[in-house]
Amino acid sequence: MLEKLLAKCCVKLERKRVGLWVLFSFVLVTVSLCTVLKSYMDPLPIWEINLRRLNSNNKNTVKLVPHDSFEPFLAPMCNFSGEKSDYCEFNGDIRIHGNSSSIFFSSPQLENIELQENRTWGIKIYARKTDEHVMGQVKELLLKPVLSVQEMPKCTVNHSVPAIVFSTGGYGGNIFHDTSDILIPLYLTSLHFNREVQFLIQDKHYYWNERHEVTLKALSKYEIIDLNHDKEIRCFNNAIIGVQSHQDFGIDPEKLPYGLTLRNFTQFIRKIYSLQRDTAIQITAEDDRKPRLLIISRKKTRTILNEDKIVAEAQRLGYDVEVIDARMSLKNFSKIVNSADVMLGVHGAGLTNILYLPENAVLIQVIPIGLQSVSKIFYERPAKNMSLKYLEYEISVKESSLIQQYPIKHQVITDPEIAKKAGWPEFKKIYMDNQDVRLDMSNFRTVLVKALELLRQ
Ligand SMILES: *[C@@H]1O[C@H](CO)[C@@H](O)[C@H](O)[C@H]1NC(C)=O
Ligand SMILES: *[C@@H]1O[C@H](CO)[C@@H](O)[C@H](O)[C@H]1NC(C)=O
Ligand SMILES: *[C@@H]1O[C@H](CO)[C@@H](O)[C@H](O)[C@H]1NC(C)=O
Ligand SMILES: *[C@@H]1O[C@H](CO)[C@@H](O)[C@H](O)[C@H]1NC(C)=O
Ligand SMILES: *[C@@H]1O[C@H](CO)[C@@H](O)[C@H](O)[C@H]1NC(C)=O
Ligand SMILES: *[C@@H]1O[C@H](CO)[C@@H](O)[C@H](O)[C@H]1NC(C)=O
Ligand SMILES: *[C@@H]1O[C@H](CO)[C@@H](O)[C@H](O)[C@H]1NC(C)=O
């Protein structure tokens, strides 16, 4: 479809193109002439040399890689010891030029410091800093400390509120990573500003702002700026470059900003999405409402092959069942999830939607072969920290589709740890991308019953 659209647009453009080229060439010649003349007339201001140097892959850039030592003068302003993210906070005169990914800053903290001439520092701010694969796709931001205002480009826009610059990085667009690596860190970093903060986004993923509009608007009242396409020189008195991030899909109340928990975050999410239910139903003798079971249905990988059997069994046990596949707007989807008392799904990003469940609801995570440890990290702890109840169902070998691909004594089936040693891509291919499950109903039934018991407590 995209190709068709492009074809259509470009036929039309073709006709205009010749004319445009003539005009364009004329403008170009004029501009070039002016530039040449101008450079004879007066020397380039220092800030412009600075900008040009930053634009041209400067070999004086010092990379600030995780765990690396860095210039001591940055220590009071930056923290590079977090497990997930690097982070700087500048006060003073900060000027951000998106087009060259440059951040100039001059600050009282820089007085008495001997800056090496032409030095810039590169920093990557996506909150998954030890993941080399994804960090390789994240653009570097250049930090340029300057001592005098003459070395700074002129402000074209003055902002009166602080800035937070964050990146949606290589995994932006995946609901787990959007939540774990971007939205929770952004919440931790920006909540205390009470929406009086300007967000600037680097490496913006297609549709990202639209998809997460509700959360972004709840944290900042200003139109978000797409840094990669911003030609302005934006000036701030306070800027945070990077975000606070504590752990995968989690918040540690002992870390900055101190005292917030994952439960605070889910309360916040329920409020901003106007979700009605704060707690799941409590089944009592008098209350004859049916508990609602929501099955998160995966269609391409890690599919439940006998979903219909589960639906029938759950109905027999007294559940009101809904099967859903997670592709719709978050506004609509969050309401459906919030209406559930039990959510069931195979380990995968779709389980991130536990965010919208009412407290005391039950998450049932189905764990395919090989995925025990990731399942614990990604959904067990988070679910418990959100005040949800948690059940898991580890499938047995005969419930995995892997037995159709490998002999039953094959290492892939008997010892997934060995495949792990072959590296993540290989492991993912076998256990995540090529494994479906067919649940043994007589075993799985006990989990559905247990969930009902939890709703009675
Ligand atoms: C830097 O971050 C680490 C990890 O989040 C934290 O333990 C430490 O207290 C921070 N240091 C400062 C000076 O804020
Ligand atoms: C934006 O950056 C590109 C190179 O990265 C440069 O060619 C262009 O002149 C810049 N535009 C502005 C308005 O600074
Ligand atoms: C800084 O850049 C200027 C202009 O390109 C150059 O003349 C000077 O030698 C550089 N200084 C250092 C220390 O690299
Ligand atoms: C920004 O503020 C500075 C200092 O107050 C002022 O000189 C400059 O004209 C302002 N620029 C714009 C574009 O408003
Ligand atoms: C976080 O949760 C605690 C305990 O429920 C509550 O006292 C506190 O006010 C919450 N903080 C915010 C910022 O919502
Ligand atoms: C969301 O719900 C509204 C109203 O209930 C409906 O009009 C709209 O089509 C739904 N959008 C999606 C993407 O499901
Ligand atoms: C989150 O869960 C972990 C593991 O269950 C637990 O150790 C930790 O205390 C919990 N944190 C909060 C704030 O509930």
Side-chain angles (χ1 to χ4, degrees), residues 126-128 166-187 201 203-212 215-216 249 265 330 349 352 355-356:
Y126 185 64
R128 195 157 267 271
F166 67 98
S167 164
T168 62
Y171 291 140
N174 168 301
I175 187 69
F176 173 79
H177 289 287
D178 282 359
T179 307
S180 174
D181 305 346
I182 310 169
L183 294 175
I184 291 176
L186 201 55
Y187 168 82
I201 186 170
D203 306 316
K204 183 176 105 63
H205 187 272
Y206 191 52
Y207 271 141
W208 204 85
N209 297 6
E210 295 76 7
R211 185 144 207 245
H212 297 294
T215 314
L216 294 170
F249 204 0
F265 182 69
L330 289 181
T352 310
L355 276 183
Y356 310 112

Side-chain angles (χ1 to χ4, degrees), residues 31-45 48:
V31 170
S32 315
L33 265 179
C34 289
T35 314
V36 170
L37 282 178
K38 191 169 180 309
S39 65
Y40 281 113
M41 285 180 322
D42 52 8
L44 283 174
E48 194 161 320

